[in-house]
Amino acid sequence: MKIILRTFLLLVATALPVTAASPARMRPAFLPNTPPAEKAISVYTPADVLGIVATRSDRLPKDHPYRVNGFTAGLKANWPGAKTGTSIDAMLLIPVNAPEDTDRGEIGSVWRNLLYILQRVMDVTDTDKADAVIRVFDAQTDPKKKARAAYFAASAFQDLLDPRLLMCQTHSLDDVTEIRSVDTTDEQLVMETVRRATIRFIEWQLEEIGFEINPTWGQLDEAAHCAALKQWLTTNESLIVTKCAETRAKPGWKAQDAGISPFDARW
């Protein structure tokens, strides 16, 4: 189920992600350059970090500090920005502020790399990570940019189980834009509205943390279903906080490992 959910989140505004085993892909124009081998990790900017993690490692010279220092482990140990939550803001704003006509698949791949950075590089608490995502979401006034931030918050919710990230999704419950999504019955691509896909995501996540979904909602039309779900989320916000905490406290619970979706190098 978690794999399906991750796939859904990437499809809501993207094409299917490309794995590290796939052929090299041209780097999107909005993505920062790969930092050169002469630049020490200790002076990397957040843009450098996103740029290097989003680069196929087999395209780097053997003396590149990212390779020499153990890839993301070296970033976590040697990059001062790994201990500062605002580094996340700076990296997240890069895909959020990408030009409006940017390919959705490219943005989705960069989001995937950002989740990887949150897990493997950032040496801050999960609350600090969620705070950064929320700051970026709250700061957006352009609807399309806010939607991009909301999609990232949805994916980050699976890793962090911070209820604020789930509540960001109510922003999309009025969006009737048609997008590609995944029919979980047979895992085929389908076209549906953003709000329909968002309903399914929220309800899946509520079930994952122990809630039972009201069976009468499925008998409503899409607009009424959205209204009922939004009202329920508002009424039960404190209980959602409790359920998230209980789920995180369960023995053996851990976030699904984030994948990576790198591009070719560009200096």
Side-chain angles (χ1 to χ4, degrees):
M1 177 64 77
K2 286 185 178 180
I3 293 174
I4 294 173
L5 287 172
R6 186 77 81 189
T7 302
F8 153 71
L9 288 165
L10 288 167
L11 282 170
V12 165
T14 72
L16 283 169
V18 180
T19 66
S22 302
R25 296 174 299 155
M26 184 178 296
R27 201 177 191 87
F30 74 90
L31 186 63
N33 287 346
T34 306
E38 313 83 71
K39 190 168 188 177
I41 289 175
S42 60
V43 295
Y44 275 9
T45 65
D48 287 330
V49 170
L50 179 57
I52 193 64
V53 173
T55 301
R56 286 188 57 142
S57 58
D58 60 356
R59 297 299 197 269
L60 300 175
K62 291 183 179 180
D63 64 344
H64 197 286
Y66 184 61
R67 297 185 67 168
V68 172
N69 287 275
F71 304 100
T72 50
L75 289 176
K76 186 171 185 176
N78 299 303
W79 178 49
K83 298 185 181 299
T84 306
T86 52
S87 297
I88 299 169
D89 303 51
M91 286 184 279
L92 183 53
L93 282 170
I94 292 169
V96 166
N97 289 327
E100 187 174 322
D101 61 351
T102 300
D103 180 79
R104 290 176 173 178
E106 292 179 343
I107 292 179
S109 293
V110 174
W111 281 338
R112 189 177 180 89
N113 295 327
L114 277 164
L115 286 171
Y116 192 82
I117 290 169
L118 255 61
Q119 286 190 356
R120 304 293 185 92
V121 175
M122 296 308 301
D123 192 13
V124 297
T125 68
D126 285 353
T127 298
D128 289 334
K129 295 174 184 178
D131 285 348
V133 178
I134 295 297
R135 281 195 300 270
V136 171
F137 173 80
D138 286 344
Q140 303 314 307
T141 56
D142 179 274
K144 292 186 177 180
K145 291 182 179 182
K146 201 169 189 73
R148 287 176 177 175
Y151 296 140
F152 185 80
S155 198
F157 174 75
Q158 294 181 79
D159 294 348
L160 304 175
L161 281 187
D162 189 305
R164 296 173 298 164
L165 300 175
L166 184 65
M167 298 304 288
C168 286
Q169 305 324 304
T170 60
H171 168 78
S172 300
L173 286 174
D174 297 313
D175 191 340
V176 296
T177 305
E178 284 207 332
I179 49 98
R180 288 191 304 161
S181 191
V182 177
D183 183 337
T184 54
T185 303
D186 54 13
E187 298 184 33
Q188 296 297 309
L189 291 178
V190 297
M191 293 299 294
E192 64 181 350
T193 62
V194 169
R195 70 182 181 185
R196 169 58 60 184
T198 304
I199 287 171
R200 291 196 291 114
F201 168 73
I202 293 175
E203 292 183 354
W204 281 334
Q205 288 303 304
L206 291 174
E207 289 176 326
E208 288 283 301
I209 59 177
F211 287 103
E212 292 186 7
I213 302 305
N214 188 330
T216 66
W217 289 349
Q219 301 168 20
L220 302 172
D221 63 43
E222 192 171 281
H225 194 161
C226 286
L229 180 55
K230 282 194 286 187
Q231 180 60 52
W232 186 92
L233 289 167
T234 300
T235 302
N236 293 278
E237 190 166 359
S238 61
L239 185 55
I240 295 169
V241 171
T242 299
K243 287 284 192 181
C244 285
E246 289 175 351
T247 301
R248 285 179 61 96
K250 288 179 180 178
W253 180 86
K254 69 183 294 290
Q256 177 191 348
D257 286 341
I260 191 168
S261 188
F263 297 88
D264 212 343
R266 185 185 65 216
W267 310 99

